[in-house]
Amino acid sequence: MIDIGRLLANTRVLYPESTHHTEVTTGLPAGILAKVQEGDGAAGVDYLEEVECVNRQPDTRSNANRYNLKFRKETQEETRKRKAFHHMGITLASESDLEASTGQFYPSGLGYPARPEWNKGMSKSALDMSENRHFRLFCEKLDREFAGTDLSLYELNLETWRQLWRVTEMSDVLLVIVDARFPVAHFPPYLYHHLAENEGRGIILILNKCDLLPPELVVAWEHYFHKTFPKLLVVPFSSFEGRRHPRGQLRMAAESSLRLVEACQQLVGDFVDLTLWKRKIEEERDMEVEGGVETIEDTQLQEPLSTLPEVHQHYKDGVLTVGTIGHPNVGKSSLINALMGKKVVSVSKTPGHTKHFQTIFLTKNVKLCDCPGLVFPSTVTKPLQVILGSYPISQIRDPIGVVHYVAARLDIPSRLGLDYFREPSDSPGKREKWTAFEICEAWARKRGYFTRTKGGPDTFRAANELLRFCLNGQKSLVLYLRPPGYTSDKEKLKSDPRVEDIKLIQGSVCLENTAPEDEEKTEKVQEEEEEDDEESDDNEEKRKFPLPNVQNKFSLLVEDE
């Protein structure tokens, strides 16, 4: 017998802030509620048994938590099993073990909740009821067909999926942005089949952060996606290309942007002229910019308020609409800023920072639509989801277990120069294997992280820092996957003519001619800009108007007489 009270209570967790419809507030539309009362087996699967709201704000009357990431909460049994790896010796995987394909993370049978059928005669409440029912049945179907341990954490917030539906409906060309280190884990093939093959949409795969990879590996990924997905155009992209230039001032990723313009022109043909967009990029590339002066002045920014469905019109009003899709932390906001040549979208390492989609005009006839990051259903394990940036590091219960996952695929001790401090074993000349706990303990000693209570190494803090290094590709902790057959073809790929073009996009050619002190300066500036991006827009306004420098700061609190 189904406990309807518990089902209703659990469903309110999914829509705690939605109060504009009774169907959303109760969580069960009338049709589903009737099925539950009738004992329909399809509604008997409660996929909201344990839901975790990421980055949840304190109770407020506003809709601050409306677009928060929502995942299935990890059980204590899953956490206990992972903690068992803390003190197990780590065996480093071979390079061939890191080869992966899309089928490894997206097996057949998986999908995403596409918007249900609708018509213009439907009322807003009827449409809301239909979408709620469709999304619930989709989640229940996944839970029935895939075991809970095999299915990854994926987005359970319907409001966020509505943002995706709206972006795909209004866009002529879709940019699926992936992290070049883990492209097969970020690219859902069912999204390609639905949009490219069924709806005939033009899709461009953006291999973002390609500057973290060897150029021959980027070429290998291009060959893999061209062969596996014939209708897919692949564009390598480096958002920090301009910052690695020896002049050190350009903020636009000119080389990457030009490749993107060429790919868009290939898809739209003669319907939209992208000459103005291309000319702007070329002028920015050839212009000597001093002090990071912003050169693009005709930018228009607007935030659509409605997510109601619409019938797609190709190149409406002669404007090309380009939509962005991707997981959290793949660099969508940084890519948009690199295309614009200045900061127009706030950036953060926290998943779910971009709450709702917004449109930005690159030129008068090119409009970019930024969609919030979405975690698609897959079989990616939770440790890998943390490394991908889909799950916030700050909310992991067991960061040392994730360090074990990384250390089994990346030689952390040698890359960080950690000292092995364990007592020698009984067998002379035989050294014990590192464990994840020992790696965190050694890094804590090296950095001077100690707990206040007992004075021992703060392994928890060390583990968090190591994971952030791996997420950002810092301190040589760059973990990346390889396409099938890459290990055997690596030497042949180095002579591929595309390698030199990839180096130009990465900024490697310019970086080779940069003095070491200039390179250190560039990295320092990059770190400072990333720290500034973490602050809110309110803090940015405060920095523009600093408080006066007075000796007695409390005098500012005294009212003028």
Side-chain angles (χ1 to χ4, degrees):
M1 183 66 181
I2 299 176
D3 189 349
I4 299 178
R6 180 186 177 189
L7 188 58
L8 287 172
N10 287 330
T11 309
R12 292 190 188 100
V13 179
L14 183 63
Y15 308 103
E17 298 82 19
S18 301
T19 56
H20 50 288
H21 294 304
T22 57
E23 293 85 357
V24 179
T25 307
T26 58
L28 285 179
I32 294 183
L33 184 58
K35 286 190 175 183
V36 173
Q37 293 172 344
E38 294 172 2
D40 191 344
V45 180
D46 186 6
Y47 72 98
L48 290 177
E49 183 178 357
E50 291 286 343
V51 174
E52 181 178 9
C53 184
V54 179
N55 304 327
R56 182 177 178 81
Q57 301 298 319
D59 292 339
T60 175
R61 296 182 180 179
S62 64
N63 288 335
N65 295 312
R66 181 178 180 182
Y67 300 106
N68 279 3
L69 300 177
K70 291 181 174 66
F71 299 119
R72 177 183 58 83
K73 186 177 294 185
E74 187 179 39
T75 63
Q76 295 182 355
E77 180 65 18
E78 293 172 341
T79 305
R80 185 187 63 80
K81 289 181 179 180
R82 191 178 303 114
K83 287 184 177 181
F85 291 97
H86 288 191
H87 301 279
M88 293 179 60
I90 297 175
T91 302
L92 195 63
S94 63
E95 186 174 15
S96 59
D97 294 334
L98 297 178
E99 296 180 358
S101 62
T102 53
Q104 180 177 336
F105 302 108
Y106 297 93
S108 59
L110 276 180
Y112 81 103
R115 174 165 259 164
E117 296 183 0
W118 62 278
N119 56 72
K120 292 186 177 181
M122 296 178 66
S123 63
K124 191 172 182 179
S125 59
L127 178 64
D128 191 34
M129 181 185 303
S130 174
E131 292 177 350
N132 273 274
R133 178 181 183 276
H134 177 75
F135 182 65
R136 170 173 291 276
L137 295 179
F138 168 81
C139 296
E140 292 170 352
K141 180 176 179 292
L142 284 186
D143 278 355
R144 286 196 306 268
E145 297 180 356
F146 293 89
T149 55
D150 296 333
L151 194 62
S152 68
L153 302 179
Y154 65 95
E155 182 61 71
L156 290 177
N157 193 338
L158 177 58
E159 292 292 340
T160 310
W161 287 106
R162 282 171 171 158
Q163 305 292 310
L164 173 68
W165 297 342
R166 186 69 167 86
V167 169
T168 55
E169 286 173 351
M170 66 184 298
S171 300
D172 303 306
V173 175
L174 291 166
L175 307 182
V176 180
I177 305 173
V178 300
D179 191 328
R181 295 173 293 177
F182 317 98
V184 289
H186 277 146
F187 182 73
Y190 46 74
L191 186 69
Y192 164 82
H193 295 311
H194 179 75
L195 296 177
E197 297 182 349
N198 297 343
E199 297 188 359
R201 301 295 180 88
I203 297 183
I204 301 175
L205 178 66
I206 304 294
L207 295 176
N208 200 18
K209 305 180 184 180
C210 70
D211 53 302
L212 297 175
L213 301 181
E216 60 271 11
L217 180 56
V218 180
V219 175
W221 279 123
E222 283 185 327
H223 294 336
Y224 171 80
F225 282 104
H226 284 149
K227 181 180 179 181
T228 310
F229 307 98
K231 296 183 180 180
L232 193 66
L233 298 182
V234 183
V235 175
F237 202 97
S238 173
S239 299
F240 295 128
E241 169 200 327
R243 302 182 190 182
R244 303 182 71 177
H245 197 279
R247 287 180 289 188
Q249 302 297 336
L250 292 180
R251 294 179 178 270
M252 176 180 287
E255 298 296 337
S256 304
S257 301
L258 286 174
R259 272 71 175 180
L260 179 59
V261 174
E262 295 173 358
C264 291
Q265 191 69 73
Q266 182 178 345
L267 290 175
V268 302
D270 299 330
F271 291 100
V272 181
D273 186 10
L274 303 181
T275 306
L276 180 59
W277 186 13
K278 184 177 181 180
R279 187 186 306 133
K280 274 197 170 185
I281 297 172
E282 292 175 344
E283 291 176 355
E284 178 74 9
R285 180 185 59 181
D286 300 333
M287 184 181 300
E288 289 287 345
V289 183
E290 298 181 359
V293 177
E294 299 174 352
T295 57
I296 301 178
E297 299 179 355
D298 60 347
T299 303
Q300 303 178 30
L301 178 64
Q302 59 181 352
E303 298 179 355
L305 301 178
S306 174
T307 56
L308 294 178
E310 65 174 22
V311 179
H312 177 69
Q313 301 179 21
H314 283 290
Y315 319 118
K316 185 178 180 180
D317 301 327
V319 176
L320 171 64
T321 304
V322 182
T324 64
I325 303 174
H327 283 68
N329 262 325
V330 294
K332 292 189 298 298
S333 300
S334 298
L335 181 140
I336 293 174
N337 294 334
L339 288 175
M340 293 297 301
K342 62 179 180 179
K343 181 178 179 181
V344 293
V345 181
S346 60
V347 181
S348 175
K349 299 182 182 67
T350 304
H353 177 71
T354 303
K355 298 297 184 183
H356 47 78
F357 73 90
Q358 51 192 348
T359 57
I360 304 163
F361 278 85
L362 297 176
T363 62
K364 294 180 179 180
N365 64 340
V366 179
K367 179 172 64 174
L368 196 63
C369 188
D370 182 25
C371 179
L374 261 170
V375 182
F376 289 85
S378 66
T379 56
V380 177
T381 59
K382 186 174 181 180
L384 182 55
Q385 283 190 302
V386 174
I387 303 304
L388 297 177
S390 301
Y391 192 89
I393 296 176
S394 59
Q395 300 193 24
I396 306 173
R397 298 181 183 179
D398 177 33
I400 300 178
V402 184
V403 171
H404 177 93
Y405 179 90
V406 178
R409 294 156 178 81
L410 202 65
D411 192 357
I412 296 179
S414 63
R415 291 175 181 262
L416 298 181
L418 301 181
D419 296 327
Y420 194 82
F421 54 87
R422 190 195 294 183
E423 293 295 332
S425 59
D426 298 335
S427 304
K430 182 180 179 181
R431 176 173 170 173
E432 297 288 345
K433 294 181 179 179
W434 282 88
T435 66
F437 186 84
E438 289 172 347
I439 291 175
C440 297
E441 188 175 6
W443 181 248
R445 291 179 184 273
K446 186 173 184 176
R447 301 284 283 187
Y449 299 155
F450 296 94
T451 59
R452 292 185 178 181
T453 54
K454 298 182 180 180
D458 193 343
T459 55
F460 193 89
R461 180 182 177 184
N464 274 270
E465 188 173 62
L466 291 176
L467 295 180
R468 295 183 190 280
F469 287 158
C470 191
L471 173 63
N472 302 326
Q474 299 174 333
K475 299 291 183 181
S476 301
L477 297 185
V478 184
L479 176 64
Y480 49 82
L481 300 176
R482 287 86 163 161
Y486 171 76
T487 306
S488 58
D489 299 339
K490 181 166 58 174
E491 295 301 324
K492 185 170 60 177
L493 289 168
K494 290 182 179 180
S495 59
D496 193 290
R498 280 282 297 158
V499 169
E500 295 302 322
D501 191 36
I502 299 299
K503 286 184 178 180
L504 190 61
I505 295 175
Q506 294 176 332
S508 305
V509 176
C510 300
L511 191 62
E512 292 174 357
N513 301 325
T514 306
E517 56 271 16
D518 294 338
E519 183 178 344
E520 294 178 0
K521 182 179 179 181
T522 303
E523 292 180 355
K524 184 178 181 181
V525 171
Q526 178 177 333
E527 292 178 359
E528 291 176 355
E529 291 181 354
E530 289 178 352
E531 292 177 358
D532 293 341
D533 288 336
E534 292 289 343
E535 300 181 9
S536 63
D537 294 336
D538 294 338
N539 291 336
E540 291 176 3
E541 294 297 327
K542 292 178 182 179
R543 288 200 302 271
K544 294 179 182 178
F545 306 99
L547 293 175
N549 185 13
V550 295
Q551 293 181 352
N552 183 10
K553 295 182 173 59
F554 293 99
S555 63
L556 298 174
L557 303 177
V558 181
E559 297 181 358
D560 296 336
E561 295 181 358

